[in-house]
Amino acid sequence: MASPTLTSPALGSFTAETFERALGAQAGAPAWWLERKRAAYERFAALPMPQRTDESWRFSSIAGVNLDSLEPLAPAAPTARPHVPDFAPLTSLSFVNNRLHGRTALPPELAAKGVVVTTFSEALTRHGDLLKAHFMAQPQRLGSEKFAALHAAFVGDGAFIYIPRGVELDGPILVVHAASGAGASVFPHTLVVAEENSKVTVIDFFTSPANEPLFACGANDLYAGHGSKLTYAAVQNWSRKALSFQLNSTVVRRDARVQSLNIHLGGRQARHESLSQLQAPGAFSEMLALTVASDSQEFDQRTLQVHQAPNTKSDLLYKNALLETAKTIFSGLIIVDPDAQKTDAYQSNRNLVLSDGAEANSLPGLEIQANDVRCTHGATTSRVDPEQMFYLQARGITPVYARELLVFGFFEEVLNRLESEELHAALRTLLKSKLKL
Amino acid sequence: MSSLEITNLHVSIGEKEIVKGLSLTVNSGEVHALMGPNGTGKSTLSKAIIGHPDYTITGGDVRLDGKSVLQMEPDERARAGLFLAFQYPSEIPGVTIANFIRAALQARHAEGEELDASAYYKRLYQKMDMLKIDRKFTSRAVNAGFSGGEKKRCEILQMAMIEPKFALMDETDSGLDIDALKIVSEGVNQLRGPGLGVLMITHYQRLLNYIVPDHVHVMWDGRIVRSGDKSLAVELEAKGYTWVKKELAHA
């Protein structure tokens, strides 16, 4: 609910003039795309900034959400190679400050099968219908409608991934979204369309130089067609001075299976919204997240699992480890539509609090309109178990390392769900690197 | 040769004194059995020796090779050579047995000195085979969802890998069926030798049929009330703990 006392919508640095300049840079794009951008900017300008009283912003630090003093149009990228983990992708795209920075060639046999891994700029001319059908096509209903509109208005280049019917990819596709320059604004986007019975793994990696202020307003659209298997992993490793929004939408069609894992490490304040829509029988969405929250970081996670058809399944497990004076918010909702009988929905948020000054907030929720369903949800907040600590120490392990092992154990339960051992190992290394700090 | 000397030890939990002046010396190569009814302070003794924070030592000393361990942290005591096979080992979700034992061994190496991974696994598998533990267990989380017998075998596996100077075994036989008891006992017997001293805490004489002790001590109300050889365990089995209460408690 918008506050009635708000009279002028906040634009911050994203004035109409800067929008026109941004649009000017895309002058060659199709008319429909530019029209959408204009409409998006109008929505952005009309919507109020979030208020303390908004239910979807409960516990959030509203004061930290500030669009002033930003560089709305990030400059062209310096040539420094962004730091990326040691994956061995089939192919990769990397963006710096909303522009394509590097890419590796798609293996020819995949190109021959019709696999497309490209930029929005190219997709707009060659795959316009797909982009039109899937780009931010799903409702925004988790509180960041204003930022979704801002993203759509200012998005520059993004990753467009299309896997045709029946094509199965063995290795992952890596998309690196980097930012550079103090106060820069970036609008990363990854769009994945997995057609019928295809199989693909996509990894989004977000990175920027340590200690540079940044505004990141990203989104992704995942579409899993009938019988497809889509695995998506994202690592948010922005600088500790970043304000970050990442808005996810996942559509799961008949008998399709989506597994998503979001790892949150960076940012001073980072909000992640994730919407999974289970649209046809047999659809399954597994939603996983791991967060290492340290210093005074705030991680705000809002999720929605919508069961729109019978015999659908969703399984959410979000784990946060909190250090120092960090703060986490988890707010999750499961909605079961009236005819979505035999829904099987699960939602769990587990917080491991490693410091007295940390704060974990949890708001699980259910909204069930069908009568023959199985829905469970739960949230726990706990500390390191002293008996477990003692057991490890009794084997000669130092208290510091014992604690580290227990925290990793806490994360392993989630990482173990990954099918790829290579991905598991790479993500484990990333998590370790933050906990060592 | 090493020695573990417990002299006039007093241990309290909160305000309550549980161990009331206990003295006992175990030398390497020896197996001592400490027997007694429930609630007499056997488990308290073992946990206090390895430094559990819930137990306060109010008097006496525990010396390893002449050096008091009481000012040492639990992990230091462990690295100095003390090991407790827990009666109720903790479950450690997400930490595999292989990684756990590796961390324990790594802790005994100098900083920056890495364990040889292939030699480690070779030795781990060898010990697992000895204890009839399925090799698949290496990738299972420590004790998570294990049966009682599996937990006890996992304790002995850790002991076999860590090779302590002194092992305190707290009710290792409890919750074991006869087959598991035999496997565990065979494992312990194989580890017996000049480099290891064992203090085996047990309620029942049955374990001593499989692991034959050199010395047997009977504990009652926080103290050792009688010591002898293995025939003491047999006598105790025949006469029962009421005999201890009547005849020995006030001796």
Side-chain angles (χ1 to χ4, degrees), chain B residues 89-175:
Chain B
S90 288
E91 298 190 3
I92 314 289
V95 179
T96 64
I97 289 176
N99 285 343
F100 176 57
I101 297 178
R102 198 170 166 165
L105 296 180
Q106 187 68 53
R108 287 161 171 83
H109 280 62
E111 188 92 21
E113 188 189 326
E114 289 289 322
L115 278 180
D116 175 348
S118 65
Y120 165 70
Y121 274 98
K122 195 177 163 195
R123 199 165 145 252
L124 181 64
Y125 287 145
Q126 185 196 335
K127 306 289 184 192
M128 290 177 88
D129 292 349
M130 175 184 92
L131 290 161
K132 299 187 171 58
I133 300 172
D134 191 323
R135 290 184 180 189
K136 287 195 196 102
F137 267 64
T138 48
S139 56
R140 295 229 350 224
V142 177
N143 296 322
F146 285 21
S147 70
E150 286 166 346
K151 284 182 181 171
K152 295 300 170 72
R153 271 188 276 171
C154 184
E155 292 294 290
I156 306 304
L157 174 66
Q158 293 168 43
M159 179 175 147
M161 291 296 289
I162 290 171
E163 295 182 327
K165 289 179 183 167
F166 291 95
L168 315 173
M169 301 177 59
D170 190 5
E171 306 273 4
T172 297
D173 53 328
S174 70

Side-chain angles (χ1 to χ4, degrees), chain B residues 44-239:
Chain B
T44 298
L45 174 71
S46 65
K47 285 202 169 166
I49 291 172
I50 63 154
H52 194 290
D54 289 354
Y55 301 83
T56 313
I57 292 178
T58 55
D61 206 353
V62 178
R63 286 192 206 93
L64 178 60
D65 295 334
K67 190 174 173 251
S68 176
V69 301
L70 297 186
Q71 297 307 313
M72 295 162 79
E73 294 299 319
D75 56 308
E76 295 174 303
R77 296 185 199 194
R79 292 195 299 274
L82 299 181
F83 180 92
L84 173 65
F86 285 73
Q87 183 177 8
Y88 303 110
S90 288
E91 298 190 3
I92 314 289
V95 179
T96 64
I97 289 176
N99 285 343
F100 176 57
I101 297 178
R102 198 170 166 165
L105 296 180
Q106 187 68 53
R108 287 161 171 83
H109 280 62
E111 188 92 21
E113 188 189 326
E114 289 289 322
L115 278 180
D116 175 348
S118 65
Y120 165 70
Y121 274 98
K122 195 177 163 195
R123 199 165 145 252
L124 181 64
Y125 287 145
Q126 185 196 335
K127 306 289 184 192
M128 290 177 88
D129 292 349
M130 175 184 92
L131 290 161
K132 299 187 171 58
I133 300 172
D134 191 323
R135 290 184 180 189
K136 287 195 196 102
F137 267 64
T138 48
S139 56
R140 295 229 350 224
V142 177
N143 296 322
F146 285 21
S147 70
E150 286 166 346
K151 284 182 181 171
K152 295 300 170 72
R153 271 188 276 171
C154 184
E155 292 294 290
I156 306 304
L157 174 66
Q158 293 168 43
M159 179 175 147
M161 291 296 289
I162 290 171
E163 295 182 327
K165 289 179 183 167
F166 291 95
L168 315 173
M169 301 177 59
D170 190 5
E171 306 273 4
T172 297
D173 53 328
S174 70
L176 294 187
D177 62 28
I178 195 72
D179 292 330
L181 182 65
K182 279 182 184 169
I183 293 165
V184 165
S185 305
E186 277 170 28
V188 174
N189 286 330
Q190 290 199 39
L191 299 176
R192 279 179 87 157
L196 175 70
V198 176
L199 180 62
M200 205 163 44
I201 291 166
T202 181
H203 185 83
Y204 300 105
Q205 194 266 336
R206 143 183 116 136
L207 176 67
L208 310 183
N209 292 333
Y210 298 95
I211 306 172
V212 181
D214 304 303
H215 303 275
V216 174
H217 310 276
V218 178
M219 192 167 172
W220 178 264
D221 192 25
R223 294 179 194 90
I224 287 174
V225 291
R226 182 180 275 201
S227 295
D229 61 15
K230 64 184 177 190
S231 64
L232 176 59
V234 179
E235 190 180 2
L236 190 61
E237 177 79 357
K239 295 181 176 172

